[in-house]
PDB file of all heavy atoms in Angstrom:
ATOM      1  N   PRO A1114      -4.320 -19.826 -17.827  1.00 81.00           N
ATOM      2  CA  PRO A1114      -3.738 -18.571 -18.332  1.00 81.00           C
ATOM      3  C   PRO A1114      -3.487 -17.557 -17.223  1.00 81.00           C
ATOM      4  O   PRO A1114      -2.771 -16.581 -17.436  1.00 81.00           O
ATOM      5  CB  PRO A1114      -4.791 -18.064 -19.327  1.00 81.00           C
ATOM      6  CG  PRO A1114      -6.058 -18.766 -18.964  1.00 81.00           C
ATOM      7  CD  PRO A1114      -5.660 -20.089 -18.397  1.00 81.00           C
ATOM      8  N   TYR A1115      -4.061 -17.798 -16.041  1.00 76.00           N
ATOM      9  CA  TYR A1115      -3.806 -16.883 -14.927  1.00 76.00           C
ATOM     10  C   TYR A1115      -2.339 -16.869 -14.535  1.00 76.00           C
ATOM     11  O   TYR A1115      -1.827 -15.853 -14.068  1.00 76.00           O
ATOM     12  CB  TYR A1115      -4.661 -17.253 -13.713  1.00 76.00           C
ATOM     13  CG  TYR A1115      -6.077 -16.704 -13.772  1.00 76.00           C
ATOM     14  CD1 TYR A1115      -7.116 -17.341 -13.123  1.00 76.00           C
ATOM     15  CD2 TYR A1115      -6.355 -15.546 -14.494  1.00 76.00           C
ATOM     16  CE1 TYR A1115      -8.410 -16.834 -13.170  1.00 76.00           C
ATOM     17  CE2 TYR A1115      -7.642 -15.042 -14.552  1.00 76.00           C
ATOM     18  CZ  TYR A1115      -8.663 -15.681 -13.885  1.00 76.00           C
ATOM     19  OH  TYR A1115      -9.928 -15.169 -13.939  1.00 76.00           O
ATOM     20  N   TYR A1116      -1.659 -18.000 -14.696  1.00 77.00           N
ATOM     21  CA  TYR A1116      -0.231 -18.031 -14.346  1.00 77.00           C
ATOM     22  C   TYR A1116       0.546 -17.033 -15.200  1.00 77.00           C
ATOM     23  O   TYR A1116       1.418 -16.317 -14.706  1.00 77.00           O
ATOM     24  CB  TYR A1116       0.334 -19.438 -14.530  1.00 77.00           C
ATOM     25  CG  TYR A1116       0.027 -20.366 -13.382  1.00 77.00           C
ATOM     26  CD1 TYR A1116      -0.789 -21.473 -13.560  1.00 77.00           C
ATOM     27  CD2 TYR A1116       0.560 -20.130 -12.116  1.00 77.00           C
ATOM     28  CE1 TYR A1116      -1.086 -22.323 -12.506  1.00 77.00           C
ATOM     29  CE2 TYR A1116       0.268 -20.975 -11.049  1.00 77.00           C
ATOM     30  CZ  TYR A1116      -0.559 -22.068 -11.261  1.00 77.00           C
ATOM     31  OH  TYR A1116      -0.847 -22.892 -10.215  1.00 77.00           O
ATOM     32  N   GLU A1117       0.225 -16.982 -16.487  1.00 81.00           N
ATOM     33  CA  GLU A1117       0.916 -16.037 -17.367  1.00 81.00           C
ATOM     34  C   GLU A1117       0.605 -14.600 -16.970  1.00 81.00           C
ATOM     35  O   GLU A1117       1.494 -13.732 -16.950  1.00 81.00           O
ATOM     36  CB  GLU A1117       0.506 -16.277 -18.818  1.00 81.00           C
ATOM     37  CG  GLU A1117       1.257 -15.381 -19.801  1.00 81.00           C
ATOM     38  CD  GLU A1117       0.868 -15.651 -21.250  1.00 81.00           C
ATOM     39  OE1 GLU A1117       0.265 -16.720 -21.528  1.00 81.00           O
ATOM     40  OE2 GLU A1117       1.162 -14.788 -22.104  1.00 81.00           O
ATOM     41  N   ALA A1118      -0.678 -14.335 -16.612  1.00 81.00           N
ATOM     42  CA  ALA A1118      -1.062 -12.982 -16.200  1.00 81.00           C
ATOM     43  C   ALA A1118      -0.331 -12.574 -14.921  1.00 81.00           C
ATOM     44  O   ALA A1118       0.179 -11.447 -14.816  1.00 81.00           O
ATOM     45  CB  ALA A1118      -2.576 -12.915 -15.975  1.00 81.00           C
ATOM     46  N   ILE A1119      -0.263 -13.493 -13.965  1.00 79.00           N
ATOM     47  CA  ILE A1119       0.406 -13.194 -12.694  1.00 79.00           C
ATOM     48  C   ILE A1119       1.903 -13.010 -12.903  1.00 79.00           C
ATOM     49  O   ILE A1119       2.526 -12.104 -12.338  1.00 79.00           O
ATOM     50  CB  ILE A1119       0.121 -14.315 -11.671  1.00 79.00           C
ATOM     51  CG1 ILE A1119      -1.368 -14.322 -11.309  1.00 79.00           C
ATOM     52  CG2 ILE A1119       0.967 -14.118 -10.405  1.00 79.00           C
ATOM     53  CD1 ILE A1119      -1.795 -15.518 -10.487  1.00 79.00           C
ATOM     54  N   GLN A1121       3.360 -11.962 -15.576  1.00 83.00           N
ATOM     55  CA  GLN A1121       3.558 -10.665 -16.224  1.00 83.00           C
ATOM     56  C   GLN A1121       3.602  -9.541 -15.188  1.00 83.00           C
ATOM     57  O   GLN A1121       4.479  -8.666 -15.228  1.00 83.00           O
ATOM     58  CB  GLN A1121       2.437 -10.391 -17.230  1.00 83.00           C
ATOM     59  CG  GLN A1121       2.541 -11.180 -18.524  1.00 83.00           C
ATOM     60  CD  GLN A1121       1.342 -10.930 -19.422  1.00 83.00           C
ATOM     61  OE1 GLN A1121       0.430 -10.187 -19.077  1.00 83.00           O
ATOM     62  NE2 GLN A1121       1.338 -11.559 -20.591  1.00 83.00           N
TER      63      GLN A1121
END
Side-chain angles (χ1 to χ4, degrees):
Y1115 277 153
Y1116 280 115
E1117 184 179 344
I1119 294 171
Q1121 285 176 359

